[in-house]
């Protein structure tokens, strides 16, 4: 649809930016924080560990002041479960509680709405030792943790997100061990989807508890949604794309919003003898916990074709690369799209497609909780970073959000990844996303000084004009 007049961004649109605790805080062993699983494993060769990260723990005031200078209306950050509960359950760490209280207060003082993710890829090591999401008690662990957050911060935090990219945890589980597997695991697929089920139940209970303990607050999920295109108009390719969409995207949102499983995935799991087993009360919990909005991370779309068994299936190398599933779909490259320096396809129009599709399916307001481009960057001699490619990337995506709003979709906000430079999930500090350069490398901590990049000043203008001036 071509629009002759574009609808303006809503006046209360939440222009923001995102980070996550383990990727930016550092202070890994400070003030009583318990280790997370990653702290105990060797980092990917050639990349830093997570002990110092961007040292947000000690720079939070300066960082939030920079965010305020940029004009951010919201800051999406995550709380480290093991900073609040070093053992994952039981004794609360007062210093941990205090840290996030100070971060929240600082945001509010600077006129920035905190948008809090409860769990972003950082399961406490103590809980991993007890089996992680493989332990049936994990549902209650998460609910108890959520309850502590609501009771301590619910007076100030109006927007909550439950689990970051649960779908990524699931589809990378076997390859990257994003879940903990029991020693004896005869049916790996069933185990993965059983753990997935526990997370979904935990999330639904966290939705309900939020509404009970924090009246007026709003809560949503935060999956990574990559709409899947069929490689051609061959009908079988469309079936494959529907399968892939169901498995990667809709399974998570169908349960979160409607409290029931996606039928395509249910049928596939049944055929594989991998259906999750419901504990007593699970069905009721899924039906009772409802989100107020949908948060989703968007980096690109994916493309696939029919898997007719004639060629090997593509393997996912990371969260944004198309993969294959025997008899369901075979991921392939999209010849119409360019890729980022780190190999991810770039598809701004796909964001509009994704927004329209999510809205058609769920009719809830949406906030984009991550979107951005990673690049290797260097400071110039005069302390600048000329990230024109980031400006071009974000501009193209914001234009598409504007078009989706004109299409009638309800958008609450946009939080690019990331507010400041931080450590990539598996490519270290050399893959930077921030509006603010953090002066360190993978193995040289330098002075950790902050330098606004060109994109910082550009985004400031975008926000000041409420999305009218995209430069
Ligand atoms: C998302 C994660 C983030 C973030 C981002 C960029 O999947 O939620 O934590 O890291 O991707 O990915 P990467 O760091 O792998 O480049």
């Amino acid at each position: 649809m071509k629009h002759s007049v574009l609808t303006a961004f809503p006046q209360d649109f939440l222009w923001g930016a995102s980070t996550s605790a383990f990727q930016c805080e550092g202070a890994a062993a400070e003030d009583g924080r318990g280790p997370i699983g990653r702290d105990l494993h060797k980092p990917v060769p050639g990349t830093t560990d997570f002990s110092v990260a961007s040292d947000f723990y000690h720079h939070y005031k300066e960082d939030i002041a920079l965010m305020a200078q940029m004009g951010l209306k919201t800051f999406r950050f995550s709380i480290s479960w093991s900073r609040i509960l070093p053992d994952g359950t039981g004794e609360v760490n007062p210093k941990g509680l205090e840290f996030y209280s100070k971060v929240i207060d600082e945001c509010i003082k600077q006129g920035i709405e905190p948008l809090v993710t409860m769990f972003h890829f950082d399961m406490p090591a103590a809980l991993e030792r007890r089996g992680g999401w493989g332990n049936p008690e994990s549902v209650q662990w998460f609910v108890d943790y959520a309850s502590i957050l609501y009771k301590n911060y619910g007076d100030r935090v109006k927007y909550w997100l439950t689990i970051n990219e649960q779908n990524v945890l699931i589809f990378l589980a076997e390859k990257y061990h994003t879940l903990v597997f029991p020693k004896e695991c005869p049916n790996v697929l069933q185990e993965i989807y059983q753990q997935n089920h526990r997370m979904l139940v935990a999330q639904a209970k966290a939705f309900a508890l939020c509404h009970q303990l924090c009246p007026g607050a709003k809560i949503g999920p935060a999956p990574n949604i990559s709409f899947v295109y069929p490689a051609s108009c061959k009908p079988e390719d469309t079936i494959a794309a529907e399968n892939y969409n169901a498995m990667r995207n809709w399974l998570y949102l169908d349960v979160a919003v409607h409290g029931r499983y996606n039928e395509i995935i249910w049928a596939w799991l049944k055929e594989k003898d991998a259906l999750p087993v419901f504990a007593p009360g699970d069905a009721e919990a899924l039906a009772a916990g409802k989100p107020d909005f949908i948060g989703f991370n968007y980096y690109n779309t994916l493309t696939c074709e029919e898997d007719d068994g004639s060629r090997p299936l593509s393997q996912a190398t990371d969260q944004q690369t198309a993969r294959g599933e025997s008899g369901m779909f075979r991921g392939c490259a999209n010849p119409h799209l360019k890729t980022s320096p780190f190999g991810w396809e770039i598809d701004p129009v796909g964001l509009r497609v994704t927004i329209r599709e999510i809205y058609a399916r769920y009719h809830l307001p949406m906030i984009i909780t991550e979107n951005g481009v990673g690049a290797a960057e260097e400071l110039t001699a005069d302390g600048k970073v000329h990230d024109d490619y980031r400006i071009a990337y974000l501009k193209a995506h914001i234009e598409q959000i504007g078009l989706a709003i004109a299409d009638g979709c309800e958008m609450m906000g946009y939080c690019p990844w990331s507010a400041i430079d931080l450590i990539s999930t598996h490519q270290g500090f050399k893959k930077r996303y921030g509006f603010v350069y953090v002066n360190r490398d993978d193995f040289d901590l330098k002075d950790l000084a902050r330098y606004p990049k060109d994109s910082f000043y550009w985004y400031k203008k975008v926000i000041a004009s409420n999305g009218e001036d995209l430069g």
Side-chain angles (χ1 to χ4, degrees):
M1 194 187 337
K2 293 229 188 288
H3 297 287
S4 46
V5 185
L6 279 181
T7 315
F9 281 81
Q11 273 314 311
D12 55 358
F13 190 76
L14 292 169
W15 296 100
S18 290
T19 61
S20 90
F22 82 96
Q23 292 172 279
C24 85
E25 277 177 12
E30 219 168 299
D31 288 342
R33 176 186 178 273
I36 60 171
R38 283 173 194 265
D39 296 334
L40 308 179
H41 302 136
K42 282 212 172 98
V44 175
T47 69
T48 177
D49 62 27
F50 293 86
S51 57
V52 177
S54 317
D55 203 26
F56 176 79
Y57 194 78
H58 299 109
H59 287 74
Y60 75 92
K61 280 196 183 167
E62 178 189 353
D63 290 337
I64 294 170
L66 280 167
M67 293 177 210
Q69 204 184 313
M70 224 184 338
L72 292 199
K73 309 284 182 207
T74 191
F75 170 35
R76 178 203 177 212
F77 61 93
S78 77
I79 289 184
S80 156
W81 188 337
S82 66
R83 213 179 270 292
I84 301 291
L85 291 159
D87 295 324
T89 58
E91 200 82 7
V92 174
N93 173 26
K95 290 263 187 203
L97 272 186
E98 189 192 325
F99 172 65
Y100 294 107
S101 194
K102 288 193 295 196
V103 169
I104 291 164
D105 285 346
E106 196 63 27
C107 287
I108 293 170
K109 189 174 114 195
Q110 297 278 11
I112 298 173
E113 199 69 70
L115 168 59
V116 173
T117 314
M118 295 188 239
F119 177 57
H120 192 129
F121 296 170
D122 55 356
M123 176 67 89
L127 296 184
E128 286 202 352
R129 277 195 295 276
R130 292 165 69 186
W133 295 104
N135 187 329
E137 290 173 24
S138 55
V139 174
Q140 196 55 45
W141 299 340
F142 186 74
V143 174
D144 291 344
Y145 163 59
S147 162
I148 295 169
L149 302 188
Y150 298 151
K151 285 181 182 150
N152 284 278
Y153 309 130
D155 56 336
R156 288 160 287 162
V157 174
K158 291 195 211 136
Y159 297 98
W160 297 90
L161 295 160
T162 49
I163 300 176
N164 181 70
E165 296 193 350
Q166 181 180 328
N167 54 338
V168 169
L169 293 176
I170 294 303
F171 68 72
L172 293 182
E174 252 188 291
K175 190 158 186 205
Y176 290 111
H177 308 286
T178 49
L179 300 177
V180 184
F181 291 98
K183 276 206 184 75
E184 299 290 319
C185 191
N187 188 339
V188 173
L189 193 65
Q190 199 280 335
E191 178 63 28
I192 291 174
Y193 281 89
Q194 189 66 55
Q195 295 197 26
N196 182 52
H197 176 74
R198 286 193 194 108
M199 283 189 246
L200 291 169
V201 174
Q203 169 171 268
K205 290 189 173 185
F207 289 158
L209 192 64
C210 178
H211 295 135
Q212 190 191 322
L213 296 180
C214 315
K218 293 188 189 309
I219 187 162
N224 172 318
I225 302 296
S226 287
F227 185 78
V228 186
Y229 301 126
S232 77
C233 53
K234 189 174 151 199
E236 287 80 359
D237 286 350
T238 295
I239 296 285
E242 287 175 358
N243 291 342
Y244 199 172
N245 269 309
M247 189 182 291
R248 192 191 192 287
N249 301 318
W250 313 140
L251 158 64
Y252 301 88
L253 291 176
D254 284 1
V255 179
V257 178
H258 301 309
R260 56 174 158 69
Y261 271 85
N262 180 284
E263 45 288 332
I264 295 173
I265 294 311
W266 192 260
W268 173 70
L269 289 172
K270 192 168 177 199
E271 207 170 294
K272 298 270 175 196
D273 196 22
L275 283 177
V277 177
F278 278 48
D282 281 3
E284 293 75 9
L286 291 179
K290 299 276 179 221
D292 303 290
F293 62 87
I294 291 176
F296 70 97
N297 299 347
Y298 176 84
Y299 287 91
N300 58 17
T301 47
L302 298 170
T303 304
C304 76
E305 57 195 353
E306 177 196 13
D307 171 40
D308 59 8
S310 63
R311 279 178 292 152
L313 294 171
S314 47
Q315 292 298 315
T317 49
D318 59 40
Q319 62 270 48
Q320 301 307 142
T321 312
R323 52 187 280 266
E325 192 64 56
S326 174
M328 293 286 273
F329 52 84
R330 177 179 29 228
C332 51
N334 185 333
H336 302 287
L337 301 177
K338 295 203 171 83
T339 53
S340 77
F342 281 85
W344 289 2
E345 287 176 343
I346 298 178
D347 186 8
V349 178
L351 176 57
R352 182 181 178 192
V353 175
T354 303
I355 293 171
R356 286 160 54 127
E357 188 67 20
I358 295 176
Y359 200 60
R361 292 182 70 91
Y362 307 107
H363 282 279
L364 282 173
M366 287 160 281
I367 179 162
I368 297 159
T369 39
E370 285 180 33
N371 171 236
V373 63
E377 291 169 330
E378 299 220 346
L379 267 187
T380 58
D382 58 348
K384 305 261 179 341
V385 177
H386 301 305
D387 55 345
D388 45 313
Y389 41 86
R390 178 165 296 107
I391 294 172
Y393 179 101
L394 297 175
K395 175 175 186 249
H397 285 80
I398 294 172
E399 277 168 358
Q400 295 299 322
I401 300 170
L403 288 167
I405 293 173
D407 292 334
C409 301
E410 221 179 317
M411 294 303 298
M412 284 165 57
Y414 177 59
C415 298
W417 185 263
S418 50
I420 60 172
D421 283 346
L422 37 70
I423 308 178
S424 145
T425 55
H426 57 286
Q427 283 157 308
F429 222 92
K430 67 184 72 57
K431 190 182 190 187
R432 295 171 184 267
Y433 284 87
F435 288 111
V436 175
Y437 185 90
V438 174
N439 193 31
R440 66 158 288 184
D441 291 337
D442 273 295
F443 300 108
D444 181 355
L445 289 177
K446 300 186 180 171
D447 59 3
L448 291 159
R450 277 50 178 160
Y451 295 89
K453 302 179 191 176
D454 289 356
S455 58
F456 175 102
Y457 299 104
W458 168 83
Y459 196 40
K460 184 179 163 87
K461 275 201 304 183
V462 171
I463 298 174
S465 65
N466 199 29
E468 297 258 313
D469 181 1
L470 295 182

